Amino acid sequence: MESNGTITKAAKTDRYQHHDYYIIDELLTEEHLLARDAVRAWVKQEVSPVIEQYTEKAECPKHLFKQLGEIGAYGPSLPTEYGGGGMDEIAYGIIMQELERGDSGIRSMASVQGSLVMYPIYRYASEEQKKKYLPKLGSGEFIGCFGLTEPDHGSNPGGMITNIRDNGDHYILNGAKMWITNSPVADLAVVWAKDEEGKIRGMVVESGTPGFSAPEIHGKWSLRASITGELVFEDVKVPKENVFPDVRGLKGPLSCLSKARYGIAWGAIGAALDCYDSALNYSKERIQFDKPIAQFQLTQKKLAEMITEITKAQLLAWRLGTLANKGEASPAQISMAKRNNVHMALEVAREARQIHGGMGITNEYPCMRHMMNLETVLTYEGTHDIHLLITGMDVTGLNAFK
Ligand code: TGC
Ligand code: FAD
């Protein structure tokens, strides 16, 4: 933009290239745009050329963990002295958007590390633990995971049975966690477990501790480039200094989820944009009945609805970001954005897949991969229906969970 506020020709061109229909770039700062462009370029160079093969092989591109640290994707809005990027919440969101334009699994690698591992350590651990773990997590030297969900307690984590017992100078941890992103490759896990009083406590458990294992979960048709596993604890000794001193109850893990759900609300837009881009290009090139299919009204309806929904989601995310920057984004507002934007992205992926016809089911185009990934994104970090009930509770004041 020029200093007098008029939009330059270059910015207008960019709007069409990147489908910034309501010129949201104008709402962003130089720092946001620089962060976005840097991550976008990295995704184009390092993720897009290889992601289909990793997805096909159901293999995690582990070499990207370190690179994600190098580009500042871990904890962009955490302070730099604690391994973060020192940026604001909108920068964090837009980085997640660009990562998920590449693949939801790549965004998962970053959002787990930044929001579910670094954030709880930053917010709840002792100064000593912060210094011990955060710089190495921020750089990608250490990989972390977050253990909340259990085999019998998914949407209802408050019912967890994983527990710690005081044993003098340490605790003894027993139980199991399920569906844990990164667990088989993690150096440490942030684990939530109940103490003798039934209060939920958070702690860092280092891999290699006797009695602790993290077997991989196989057979996923979604998020195949992200590694998922269990966490199994059999009389694991956890040093007392590894247990977060001051936080008790479900609000500990839920506060981390708020941070990660916020990032997903932005991230999903990236997946939608990648599908929309592909469908728009394909529809202009694919000729049927002697015309590009983009000329048919039904294709235009699909594309017009896709860009409308993407634009609404972008505005929702941006406004949520301005609230988050002031520390005023409520958990219910975050739930609304996560739910809306992920569902929007899944619908866009499905429509985009249709526009590609038979080619849409192949790995020559990204839509089917995004579509499969987004089925997980719709479920993790609180399912589509759980977020609806959080909104329902917020507007009625009545709790459907009790
Ligand atoms: P409830 O009684 O409502 O709340 C317990 C306490 O927590 C407080 N609270 C929050 N605090 C901070 N942030 C939030 N978002 C919060 N939501 C609630 C609440 O005020 C209360 O505080 P206090 O002081 O009164 O104790 O709890 P509930 O047991 O009724 O459950 C509510 C429910 C169902 C909404 C919640 O359990 C829930 O969100 N369930 C969904 C579970 C979920 O999202 N799991 C995600 C696991 S991690 C994951 O999926 C990572 S994917 C990683 C990747 O990106 O790869
Ligand atoms: P359930 O809770 O059994 O839900 C099944 C269905 O019942 C859903 O449709 C749900 O909406 C519905 N339902 C449940 N309760 C209600 C209700 N009260 N009213 C109406 N409908 C209801 N967890 C972690 O802790 N860490 C991770 O890193 C992590 N990564 C994941 C990665 C992947 C690939 C996946 C698939 C999951 C991951 N999860 C992780 C777990 C995820 O958060 C849970 O799968 C999710 O919270 C749902 O729990 P569940 O699968 O047990 O489903």
Side-chain angles (χ1 to χ4, degrees):
M1 213 166 71
E2 284 167 2
S3 54
N4 64 6
T6 54
I7 300 161
T8 60
K9 198 161 170 252
K12 275 188 182 157
T13 312
D14 193 59
R15 169 192 154 195
Y16 291 112
Q17 272 168 8
H18 299 301
H19 314 301
D20 182 9
Y21 205 77
Y22 265 40
I23 320 171
I24 291 164
D25 275 10
E26 266 190 41
L27 304 172
L28 303 177
T29 64
E30 197 64 30
E31 184 179 65
H32 299 147
L33 296 173
L34 283 172
R36 181 194 66 190
D37 292 348
V39 177
R40 186 179 287 172
W42 178 81
V43 166
K44 206 167 171 187
Q45 187 174 314
E46 302 294 337
V47 179
S48 303
V50 299
I51 194 64
E52 296 294 348
Q53 288 131 275
Y54 278 97
T55 298
E56 206 173 319
K57 288 186 287 180
E59 189 183 322
C60 175
K62 296 190 195 91
H63 64 286
L64 297 183
F65 277 112
K66 201 85 207 302
Q67 291 188 33
L68 281 163
E70 282 157 12
I71 64 164
Y74 297 144
S77 58
L78 294 180
T80 47
E81 63 268 36
Y82 292 115
M87 291 184 281
D88 71 1
E89 298 299 336
I90 293 180
Y92 159 44
I94 217 150
I95 288 172
M96 296 302 117
Q97 174 188 294
E98 293 309 315
L99 293 179
E100 198 147 356
R101 193 192 287 268
D103 191 78
S104 302
I106 305 299
R107 196 266 308 135
S108 254
M109 286 159 89
S111 49
V112 167
Q113 181 96 340
S115 299
L116 296 181
V117 180
M118 290 171 69
Y119 176 72
I121 294 174
Y122 163 68
R123 177 139 178 214
Y124 299 122
S126 66
E127 198 56 34
E128 211 177 21
Q129 301 298 305
K130 287 182 206 180
K131 292 213 171 94
K132 181 173 176 191
Y133 295 118
L134 290 177
K136 287 184 174 159
L137 287 162
S139 68
E141 189 180 331
F142 279 179
I143 300 170
C145 67
F146 176 88
L148 179 65
T149 306
E150 299 188 351
D152 294 329
H153 300 93
S155 296
N156 178 26
M160 70 172 66
I161 52 177
T162 297
N163 60 82
I164 48 169
R165 296 287 170 260
D166 196 323
N167 200 34
D169 66 345
H170 61 268
Y171 287 99
I172 297 287
L173 172 66
N174 277 292
K177 300 288 176 180
M178 175 87 175
W179 292 119
I180 308 304
T181 300
N182 294 346
S183 77
V185 294
D187 299 286
L188 60 94
V190 168
V191 179
W192 302 91
K194 280 185 179 164
D195 65 14
E196 286 100 330
E197 292 171 29
K199 299 243 163 66
I200 294 174
R201 308 285 304 268
M203 66 211 70
V204 174
V205 185
E206 294 186 12
S207 67
T209 311
F212 174 25
S213 59
E216 187 174 348
I217 296 173
H218 294 282
K220 296 188 328 246
W221 287 116
S222 173
L223 228 65
R224 286 164 66 82
S226 164
I227 188 161
T228 317
E230 300 170 48
L231 296 173
V232 182
F233 310 107
E234 291 168 331
D235 291 329
V236 176
K237 271 189 188 177
V238 180
K240 286 217 159 145
E241 64 267 24
N242 281 27
V243 178
F244 302 150
D246 297 324
V247 64
R248 303 278 187 288
L250 205 52
K251 62 177 179 288
L254 288 178
S255 65
C256 311
L257 291 178
S258 281
K259 191 99 179 146
R261 290 166 178 174
Y262 167 84
I264 291 174
W266 280 87
I269 296 168
L273 282 168
D274 198 40
C275 294
Y276 174 76
D277 257 345
S278 183
L280 183 61
N281 289 338
Y282 187 85
S283 68
K284 289 200 239 172
E285 285 162 12
R286 175 70 177 164
I287 308 293
Q288 288 294 288
F289 302 96
D290 305 320
K291 290 183 201 168
I293 58 169
Q295 205 173 328
F296 297 121
Q297 289 180 4
L298 288 176
T299 310
Q300 290 188 7
K301 177 177 188 288
K302 286 188 175 66
L303 291 166
E305 287 179 349
M306 285 157 74
I307 193 63
T308 305
E309 292 307 314
I310 288 170
T311 304
K312 283 154 68 179
Q314 286 172 321
L315 290 167
L316 200 59
W318 178 81
R319 176 60 185 149
L320 188 67
T322 63
L323 291 172
N325 276 344
K326 293 188 282 177
E328 289 174 7
S330 73
Q333 285 168 331
I334 293 170
S335 281
M336 181 185 281
K338 189 269 184 186
R339 178 176 186 273
N340 181 80
N341 291 9
V342 174
H343 187 253
M344 174 283 297
L346 185 54
E347 290 298 311
V348 166
R350 286 174 179 155
E351 292 289 86
R353 206 291 302 153
Q354 282 197 63
I355 288 176
H356 290 78
M359 288 310 290
I361 70 154
T362 70
N363 63 8
E364 287 195 32
Y365 296 93
C367 310
M368 191 85 178
R369 174 173 50 80
H370 282 305
M371 192 172 105
M372 294 193 302
N373 284 342
L374 288 161
E375 291 291 346
T376 286
V377 185
L378 196 77
T379 289
Y380 70 21
E381 303 267 7
T383 70
H384 191 63
D385 286 343
I386 291 297
H387 289 297
L388 176 97
L389 294 173
I390 291 172
T391 307
M393 175 161 56
D394 200 43
V395 297
T396 65
L398 301 170
N399 189 336
F401 303 111
K402 306 282 184 205

XYZ file of all heavy atoms in Angstrom, residues 96-156:
474
model
N 0.282 -20.091 10.829
C -0.452 -21.372 10.801
C -1.204 -21.520 9.467
O -1.281 -22.599 8.893
C -1.437 -21.478 11.974
C -0.789 -21.497 13.342
S 0.411 -22.844 13.573
C 1.927 -21.942 13.841
N -1.759 -20.413 8.982
C -2.475 -20.444 7.701
C -1.543 -20.912 6.576
O -1.904 -21.777 5.770
C -3.004 -19.047 7.383
C -3.628 -18.928 6.004
C -3.960 -17.490 5.651
O -4.811 -16.875 6.272
N -3.284 -16.945 4.663
N -0.357 -20.346 6.546
C 0.562 -20.705 5.459
C 1.060 -22.139 5.583
O 1.240 -22.829 4.582
C 1.728 -19.717 5.394
C 1.295 -18.324 4.971
C 0.442 -18.323 3.693
O 0.794 -19.016 2.723
O -0.589 -17.624 3.671
N 1.261 -22.604 6.820
C 1.691 -23.996 7.000
C 0.599 -24.947 6.544
O 0.851 -25.962 5.893
C 2.042 -24.274 8.472
C 3.277 -23.557 9.025
C 3.466 -23.908 10.498
C 4.535 -23.924 8.235
N -0.656 -24.593 6.873
C -1.750 -25.515 6.535
C -2.116 -25.428 5.057
O -2.711 -26.346 4.501
C -2.973 -25.256 7.431
C -3.942 -26.431 7.426
C -4.676 -26.646 8.735
O -4.411 -25.939 9.715
O -5.547 -27.539 8.774
N -1.702 -24.358 4.399
C -1.823 -24.314 2.937
C -1.001 -25.481 2.364
O -1.357 -26.093 1.369
C -1.277 -22.981 2.412
C -1.608 -22.682 0.971
C -0.774 -21.490 0.506
N -1.192 -20.216 1.045
C -2.059 -19.383 0.451
N -2.598 -19.719 -0.691
N -2.358 -18.225 0.996
N 0.105 -25.774 3.037
C 0.924 -26.930 2.631
C 0.264 -28.233 3.030
O 0.025 -29.112 2.196
N -0.065 -28.372 4.314
C -0.685 -29.613 4.789
C -1.093 -29.421 6.252
O -0.328 -28.838 7.035
C 0.322 -30.772 4.695
C -0.329 -32.132 4.915
O -0.975 -32.647 3.987
O -0.204 -32.675 6.035
N -2.252 -29.953 6.625
C -2.697 -29.825 8.020
C -1.723 -30.517 8.968
O -1.561 -30.100 10.120
C -4.096 -30.420 8.207
O -5.031 -29.795 7.369
N -1.085 -31.582 8.507
C -0.141 -32.317 9.356
C 1.096 -31.490 9.677
O 1.659 -31.598 10.768
N 1.513 -30.656 8.728
C 2.684 -29.794 8.967
C 2.283 -28.714 9.976
O 3.031 -28.400 10.901
C 3.195 -29.164 7.648
C 3.495 -30.265 6.610
C 4.412 -28.283 7.897
C 4.558 -31.270 7.002
N 1.080 -28.174 9.806
C 0.600 -27.197 10.798
C 0.481 -27.849 12.173
O 0.801 -27.252 13.200
C -0.739 -26.592 10.333
C -1.133 -25.333 11.070
C -2.044 -25.611 12.259
N -3.166 -26.409 11.836
C -3.598 -27.461 12.516
N -3.044 -27.841 13.646
N -4.613 -28.169 12.064
N 0.035 -29.105 12.198
C -0.056 -29.836 13.471
C 1.302 -29.933 14.162
O 1.406 -29.763 15.368
C -0.522 -31.272 13.205
O -1.839 -31.454 13.598
N 2.344 -30.235 13.376
C 3.687 -30.340 13.956
C 4.008 -29.046 14.703
O 4.543 -29.062 15.808
C 4.739 -30.550 12.846
C 4.751 -31.945 12.244
S 5.530 -31.975 10.594
C 7.243 -32.256 10.980
N 3.652 -27.924 14.083
C 3.982 -26.626 14.684
C 3.025 -26.251 15.797
O 3.437 -25.704 16.821
C 3.969 -25.551 13.595
N 1.731 -26.558 15.624
C 0.813 -26.079 16.669
C 0.936 -26.896 17.944
O 0.769 -26.365 19.038
C -0.634 -25.941 16.180
O -1.096 -27.053 15.514
N 1.252 -28.184 17.821
C 1.466 -28.972 19.043
C 2.695 -28.438 19.779
O 2.655 -28.154 20.983
C 1.645 -30.471 18.707
C 2.184 -31.241 19.891
C 0.313 -31.069 18.257
N 3.786 -28.291 19.038
C 5.037 -27.846 19.679
C 4.878 -26.459 20.330
O 5.262 -26.258 21.474
C 6.129 -27.796 18.602
C 7.485 -27.371 19.098
C 8.390 -28.559 19.418
O 7.923 -29.667 19.613
N 9.669 -28.319 19.492
N 4.281 -25.524 19.584
C 4.204 -24.144 20.089
C 3.119 -23.945 21.132
O 3.361 -23.399 22.207
N 1.904 -24.405 20.807
C 0.762 -24.057 21.658
C 0.466 -25.091 22.733
O -0.120 -24.763 23.754
C -0.489 -23.885 20.794
O -0.279 -22.846 19.888
N 0.833 -26.327 22.486
C 0.462 -27.360 23.461
C 1.650 -27.856 24.286
O 1.463 -28.547 25.284
C -0.209 -28.540 22.735
C -1.540 -28.203 22.040
C -2.126 -29.436 21.367
C -2.550 -27.607 23.022
N 2.858 -27.514 23.869
C 4.033 -27.937 24.652
C 4.758 -26.698 25.206
O 4.905 -26.539 26.416
C 4.979 -28.819 23.805
C 6.190 -29.239 24.620
C 4.229 -30.060 23.305
N 5.166 -25.787 24.315
C 5.896 -24.608 24.811
C 4.978 -23.717 25.656
O 5.386 -23.223 26.704
C 6.463 -23.818 23.631
C 7.609 -24.551 22.939
S 8.108 -23.749 21.407
C 8.851 -22.230 21.995
N 3.751 -23.521 25.190
C 2.874 -22.601 25.928
C 2.616 -23.060 27.370
O 2.801 -22.269 28.308
C 1.557 -22.391 25.150
C 0.574 -21.528 25.886
C 0.787 -20.153 26.010
C -0.556 -22.075 26.478
C -0.104 -19.348 26.707
C -1.454 -21.282 27.170
C -1.233 -19.920 27.284
O -2.116 -19.142 27.976
N 2.231 -24.337 27.618
C 2.032 -24.725 29.025
C 3.306 -24.639 29.853
O 3.250 -24.275 31.038
C 1.521 -26.165 28.950
C 1.727 -26.619 27.555
C 1.809 -25.395 26.701
N 4.456 -24.930 29.243
C 5.708 -24.827 30.012
C 5.970 -23.349 30.328
O 6.296 -22.978 31.454
C 6.884 -25.477 29.239
C 6.650 -26.993 29.123
C 8.216 -25.190 29.928
C 7.662 -27.741 28.264
N 5.749 -22.516 29.304
C 5.943 -21.067 29.504
C 4.991 -20.535 30.581
O 5.366 -19.776 31.461
C 5.714 -20.339 28.173
C 5.478 -18.868 28.315
C 6.502 -18.015 28.735
C 4.212 -18.330 28.056
C 6.276 -16.662 28.884
C 3.990 -16.979 28.207
C 5.012 -16.142 28.626
O 4.782 -14.801 28.785
N 3.739 -20.990 30.527
C 2.737 -20.401 31.425
C 2.757 -21.021 32.821
O 2.496 -20.331 33.808
C 1.356 -20.576 30.779
C 0.237 -20.070 31.625
C -0.832 -19.335 30.877
N -1.885 -18.943 31.811
C -3.158 -18.888 31.514
N -3.551 -19.176 30.291
N -4.051 -18.527 32.402
N 3.054 -22.326 32.902
C 2.826 -23.008 34.181
C 4.068 -23.591 34.848
O 4.016 -23.938 36.035
C 1.816 -24.147 33.981
C 0.463 -23.677 33.498
C -0.086 -24.148 32.297
C -0.275 -22.757 34.234
C -1.329 -23.713 31.849
C -1.518 -22.314 33.794
C -2.034 -22.797 32.609
O -3.264 -22.353 32.172
N 5.185 -23.759 34.102
C 6.349 -24.426 34.717
C 7.187 -23.435 35.528
O 7.026 -22.213 35.406
C 7.204 -25.066 33.618
N 8.097 -23.976 36.335
C 8.998 -23.118 37.113
C 10.002 -22.471 36.147
O 10.219 -22.953 35.025
C 9.763 -23.955 38.138
O 10.629 -24.837 37.443
N 10.630 -21.398 36.618
C 11.608 -20.684 35.797
C 12.726 -21.639 35.335
O 13.167 -21.596 34.185
C 12.179 -19.524 36.627
C 12.870 -18.454 35.845
C 12.023 -17.799 34.749
O 10.801 -17.654 34.917
O 12.595 -17.479 33.681
N 13.110 -22.508 36.225
C 14.181 -23.461 35.908
C 13.769 -24.383 34.744
O 14.546 -24.646 33.822
C 14.432 -24.304 37.148
C 15.839 -24.768 37.286
C 16.035 -25.533 38.586
O 15.047 -26.028 39.161
O 17.183 -25.639 38.999
N 12.537 -24.872 34.809
C 12.045 -25.771 33.749
C 11.901 -25.018 32.425
O 12.187 -25.553 31.360
C 10.687 -26.381 34.135
C 10.722 -27.180 35.416
C 11.654 -28.375 35.311
O 11.509 -29.189 34.424
N 12.611 -28.460 36.211
N 11.446 -23.779 32.508
C 11.316 -22.973 31.281
C 12.672 -22.868 30.599
O 12.801 -23.040 29.391
C 10.830 -21.553 31.622
C 9.384 -21.477 32.015
C 8.999 -20.037 32.287
C 7.833 -20.034 33.249
N 7.325 -18.755 33.635
N 13.693 -22.537 31.424
C 15.042 -22.344 30.848
C 15.570 -23.660 30.299
O 16.274 -23.704 29.294
C 15.991 -21.807 31.918
C 15.628 -20.393 32.340
C 16.870 -19.586 32.719
C 16.536 -18.124 32.923
N 16.246 -17.782 34.309
N 15.195 -24.751 30.957
C 15.705 -26.061 30.542
C 15.107 -26.485 29.188
O 15.802 -27.012 28.331
C 15.358 -27.085 31.627
C 15.854 -28.482 31.339
C 15.615 -29.396 32.535
C 16.020 -30.822 32.227
N 15.572 -31.761 33.247
N 13.807 -26.268 29.036
C 13.146 -26.860 27.861
C 12.843 -25.882 26.716
O 12.891 -26.273 25.541
C 11.815 -27.505 28.281
C 11.990 -28.679 29.219
C 11.466 -28.653 30.512
C 12.680 -29.823 28.812
C 11.625 -29.744 31.384
C 12.836 -30.911 29.674
C 12.315 -30.855 30.949
O 12.470 -31.917 31.788
N 12.463 -24.636 27.051
C 11.878 -23.789 25.996
C 12.828 -23.435 24.842
O 12.420 -23.549 23.675
C 11.255 -22.533 26.611
C 9.978 -22.823 27.414
C 9.445 -21.554 28.076
C 8.900 -23.439 26.530
N 14.073 -23.050 25.104
C 14.918 -22.708 23.941
C 15.090 -23.896 22.992
O 15.063 -23.721 21.773
C 16.248 -22.300 24.588
C 15.872 -21.874 25.983
C 14.736 -22.775 26.383
N 15.235 -25.092 23.561
C 15.449 -26.265 22.695
C 14.177 -26.641 21.939
O 14.234 -27.153 20.817
C 15.948 -27.449 23.521
C 17.392 -27.253 23.945
C 17.948 -28.426 24.680
C 19.437 -28.196 24.920
N 19.980 -28.987 25.988
N 13.029 -26.394 22.556
C 11.768 -26.649 21.846
C 11.582 -25.601 20.745
O 11.162 -25.919 19.624
C 10.594 -26.611 22.816
C 10.482 -27.815 23.761
C 9.577 -27.503 24.952
C 9.954 -29.046 23.007
N 11.901 -24.355 21.058
C 11.732 -23.272 20.080
C 12.595 -23.481 18.841
O 12.189 -23.129 17.731
N 13.770 -24.062 19.030
C 14.675 -24.250 17.888
C 14.394 -25.556 17.143
O 14.938 -25.783 16.068
C 16.122 -24.271 18.377
O 16.332 -25.451 19.143
N 13.581 -26.416 17.744
C 13.311 -27.705 17.090
C 14.332 -28.771 17.450
O 14.284 -29.882 16.926
N 15.239 -28.432 18.385
C 16.209 -29.453 18.817
C 15.479 -30.551 19.598
O 15.787 -31.733 19.480
C 17.267 -28.781 19.695
C 18.434 -29.664 20.019
C 19.444 -28.933 20.897
O 19.553 -27.685 20.803
O 20.099 -29.603 21.685
N 14.503 -30.132 20.419
C 13.617 -31.080 21.111
C 12.258 -31.086 20.416
O 11.776 -30.034 19.983
C 13.364 -30.645 22.550
C 14.450 -31.008 23.530
C 14.318 -30.628 24.868
C 15.582 -31.711 23.148
C 15.298 -30.943 25.799
C 16.570 -32.033 24.076
C 16.425 -31.647 25.404
N 11.640 -32.263 20.382
C 10.254 -32.349 19.898
C 9.387 -32.707 21.101
O 9.756 -33.567 21.916
C 10.113 -33.431 18.807
C 11.016 -33.091 17.621
C 8.652 -33.563 18.350
C 11.134 -34.217 16.612
N 8.223 -32.038 21.183
C 7.318 -32.309 22.303
C 5.969 -32.820 21.832
O 5.625 -32.728 20.648
N 5.228 -33.386 22.778
C 3.840 -33.776 22.482
C 2.974 -33.454 23.698
O 3.497 -33.083 24.764
C 3.752 -35.248 22.092
S 4.139 -36.400 23.410
N 1.665 -33.578 23.532
C 0.701 -33.129 24.545
C -0.282 -34.256 24.809
O -1.018 -34.667 23.902
C -0.025 -31.909 23.978
C -1.142 -31.329 24.809
C -0.882 -30.371 25.780
C -2.464 -31.697 24.577
C -1.928 -29.792 26.508
C -3.510 -31.126 25.298
C -3.235 -30.170 26.271
N -0.277 -34.772 26.016
C -1.123 -35.922 26.334
C -2.307 -35.568 27.199
O -2.166 -35.423 28.427
N -3.456 -35.428 26.561
C -4.694 -35.190 27.321
C -5.680 -36.328 27.085
O -6.183 -36.946 28.023
C -5.319 -33.848 26.902
C -6.632 -33.478 27.594
C -6.421 -33.266 29.092
C -7.244 -32.201 26.995
N -5.944 -36.633 25.810
C -6.959 -37.622 25.451
C -6.561 -39.024 25.926
O -5.397 -39.416 25.823
C -7.127 -37.649 23.914
O -7.396 -36.316 23.475
C -8.240 -38.581 23.482
N -7.548 -39.768 26.402
C -7.313 -41.163 26.804
C -8.226 -42.079 25.981
O -9.203 -41.606 25.384
C -7.622 -41.328 28.297
C -6.708 -40.447 29.130
C -6.814 -40.695 30.633
O -7.730 -41.447 31.058
O -5.980 -40.141 31.360
N -7.960 -43.376 26.003
C -8.792 -44.277 25.208
C -10.291 -44.121 25.533
O -11.116 -44.161 24.633
C -8.275 -45.664 25.592
C -6.854 -45.432 26.010
C -6.812 -44.067 26.617
N -10.620 -43.921 26.800
C -12.039 -43.813 27.179
C -12.473 -42.393 27.523
O -13.579 -42.192 28.036
C -12.317 -44.736 28.379
C -12.137 -46.202 27.979
O -12.391 -46.528 26.797
O -11.706 -47.001 28.838
N -11.618 -41.419 27.285
C -11.959 -40.028 27.623
C -11.408 -39.093 26.559
O -10.247 -38.659 26.642
C -11.432 -39.661 29.011
C -12.000 -40.524 30.083
N -11.381 -41.668 30.520
C -13.186 -40.445 30.735
C -12.145 -42.252 31.433
N -13.246 -41.542 31.582
N -12.253 -38.826 25.540
C -11.854 -37.947 24.449
C -12.494 -36.582 24.612
O -11.876 -35.642 25.114
N -13.782 -36.496 24.277
C -14.485 -35.214 24.436
C -14.625 -34.834 25.904
O -14.809 -33.664 26.232
C -15.881 -35.296 23.806
O -15.761 -35.500 22.418
N -14.543 -35.816 26.770
C -14.704 -35.568 28.209
C -13.400 -35.820 28.965
O -13.297 -36.752 29.763
C -15.820 -36.480 28.749
C -16.015 -36.329 30.245
O -15.711 -35.275 30.806
N -16.507 -37.372 30.895
